[in-house]
Amino acid sequence: MKSVSRALVAGLLGGALALTTACSSSGKGGSSDGGKPAESKAAVSAAQISIEPKAGATDVKPQGALKVAVAGGKLSKVTVTDQAGKEVAGAISADGAGWVPAAGLAVSSQYKVSAQAADDKGVVATADSSFTTLTPAKTANPHDNVDDNGTYGVGMIISLSFGKDVKDKAAVEKGITFDISDGTVLKGHWFGSRRVDYRPEHFWKSGTKITVHYKLKSVEVAPDVYGGVDSDETFTIGRDKESTVDASTHQMTVEKDGKVVQTIPISTGASEPKSWNAYNGTMVIEAREGSAIMDSSTVPGLEGSPYKHPVPHSLRLTDSGTYVHGNNWSDASVFGHENVSHGCIGLQDAPGDQGGESTSAGKFYADSIIGDVVTVKNSVGEDVKPDNGLSGWNLDWKSW
């Protein structure tokens, strides 16, 4: 038992000696670099990240310029934020080789990019960059016919006009969206390169609430020309008022919410000369102009004696000059019996530039809003063109 104890003590002492010797900085047992411990080097990732546009770039186009890619690895995270700290939506491709934003960027904005990728050994590489998008030198200056919080008739068509030709119509359409309370579907139709109109298949239902979202400020509508407008506008559809003019009987039937409420004797476009004919078709009140100056010189090819004078209770139906208006110069016997107008729909009115509030014309004007429907039938004239005012209802839905 005692011999075992001595052996154990000797072993412990020997271990202590060995430990002391191993920790010594002197003698032949030291490290080969003069006593300094060996340092391990960090592994370098084989993944190489590239970011376009290059760091510090300016005047960058907001569409198509931003791309993140990697060679020798796969992207694991990409974060892009604007100057307000809002993150830009985007997605890494299925193979992990690239990332692009989900939509175009904003003009006149600074962006920061941070990306991570890992090689096949899991070693991570990172890259950071920043750039600034361009400030447009030219904009298309679009404007529409809707007032925020306005109320319109069931025939209302949203018409957006541009000050410059639009080349990328698809990009413009993508930048216009709608929130509609009853789920009504709208379609857009282009009239040339500077105007797009939106309407549903059938007239609106009363009480419908519509919000139009324009996100066109950063949309390149033509080479180096941008939309210039980001705005939201909300409007409501009011009561349903639809009027039908029968040129052969010289009467206008007024319906409100599906019920006939009035039949008004009228005088519309004369049969001769041809330039005085009234258009056939569905038109929409596009402006309430009150006492408007009717000037024959503004109507190309209009026959007869020239004129220029104020006309009371004027409701514009077409861009070419068709109105429902007061007529205070014809004899009372004309209304309901003859068509003597220069293409317009005349209602009996009182003398004076403003007409009378209690006349047929005065009452009809007071009860009319932009978007109300006026349809003319049985005229000897031509059909109204769909782009003449808000007359797009004369184009069938398939063609629209």
Side-chain angles (χ1 to χ4, degrees), residues 14 35 80 87 105 118 132 240:
V80 180
E87 189 168 337
L105 306 177
T132 304
D240 181 350

Side-chain angles (χ1 to χ4, degrees), residues 65-285:
L66 175 57
K67 299 174 184 177
V68 180
V70 65
K74 292 184 178 182
L75 291 169
S76 55
K77 184 178 181 181
V78 176
T79 303
V80 180
T81 54
D82 64 15
Q83 55 204 27
K86 182 180 179 181
E87 189 168 337
V88 175
I92 296 173
S93 60
D95 61 3
W99 179 97
V100 291
L105 306 177
V107 295
S108 307
S109 298
Q110 186 177 51
Y111 289 90
K112 293 182 179 180
V113 184
S114 178
Q116 291 183 1
D119 61 17
D120 57 3
K121 295 180 180 179
V123 181
V124 174
T126 62
D128 298 287
S129 184
S130 64
F131 62 91
T132 304
T133 54
L134 59 80
T135 296
K138 294 181 285 187
T139 59
N141 298 318
H143 63 277
D144 69 6
N145 59 336
V146 175
D147 289 331
D148 196 29
N149 297 317
T151 299
Y152 298 94
V154 297
M156 185 61 178
I157 291 177
I158 303 162
S159 186
L160 181 67
S161 298
F162 294 82
K164 290 181 173 63
D165 290 343
V166 172
K167 301 296 184 182
D168 194 343
K169 295 178 179 178
V172 169
E173 292 173 20
K174 188 176 180 180
I176 303 172
T177 58
F178 303 90
D179 289 328
I180 303 175
S181 60
D182 64 357
T184 297
V185 175
L186 300 191
K187 277 174 39 176
H189 183 86
W190 286 88
F191 294 108
S193 61
R194 295 195 177 194
R195 173 180 169 185
V196 59
D197 286 7
Y198 285 87
R199 70 167 177 89
E201 183 175 4
H202 306 291
F203 294 150
W204 297 96
K205 294 180 180 178
S206 296
T208 304
K209 188 174 182 179
I210 304 100
T211 299
V212 190
H213 303 285
Y214 294 115
K215 301 300 179 187
L216 300 175
K217 184 176 181 179
S218 302
V219 175
E220 191 175 18
V221 303
D224 299 321
V225 180
Y226 287 79
V229 171
D230 282 352
S231 67
D232 298 328
E233 294 172 333
T234 299
F235 65 95
T236 304
I237 302 301
R239 79 289 178 277
D240 181 350
K241 182 181 179 182
E242 303 174 38
S243 302
T244 302
V245 173
D246 189 332
S248 63
T249 63
H250 321 290
Q251 303 289 327
M252 179 167 69
T253 303
V254 182
E255 295 184 27
K256 292 184 74 173
D257 298 320
K259 296 180 180 180
V260 175
V261 295
Q262 193 177 14
T263 300
I264 305 173
I266 57 92
S267 178
T268 190
S271 298
E272 295 291 341
K274 185 177 180 180
S275 62
W276 291 22
N277 296 168
Y279 288 124
N280 284 295
T282 298
M283 290 165 270
V284 174
I285 294 174

Side-chain angles (χ1 to χ4, degrees), residues 348-369:
Q348 190 172 7
D349 212 337
D353 292 349
Q354 304 303 317
E357 294 182 1
S358 61
T359 63
S360 295
K363 291 178 180 178
F364 186 82
Y365 183 90
D367 189 47
S368 295
I369 60 176

Side-chain angles (χ1 to χ4, degrees), residues 314-352:
S314 296
L315 299 162
R316 181 182 281 271
L317 298 178
T318 68
D319 296 342
S320 62
T322 306
Y323 286 81
V324 177
H325 62 64
N327 178 334
N328 55 11
W329 56 88
S330 293
D331 189 82
S333 62
V334 167
F335 303 98
H337 298 92
E338 296 182 64
N339 290 329
V340 299
S341 170
H342 295 74
C344 294
I345 302 158
L347 283 65
Q348 190 172 7
D349 212 337

Side-chain angles (χ1 to χ4, degrees), residues 292-300 302 305-311 316 320-321 323 342:
I293 300 298
M294 302 292 176
D295 186 352
S296 59
S297 67
T298 64
V299 185
L302 187 67
S305 301
Y307 60 84
K308 184 177 181 179
H309 54 80
V311 175
R316 181 182 281 271
S320 62
Y323 286 81
H342 295 74

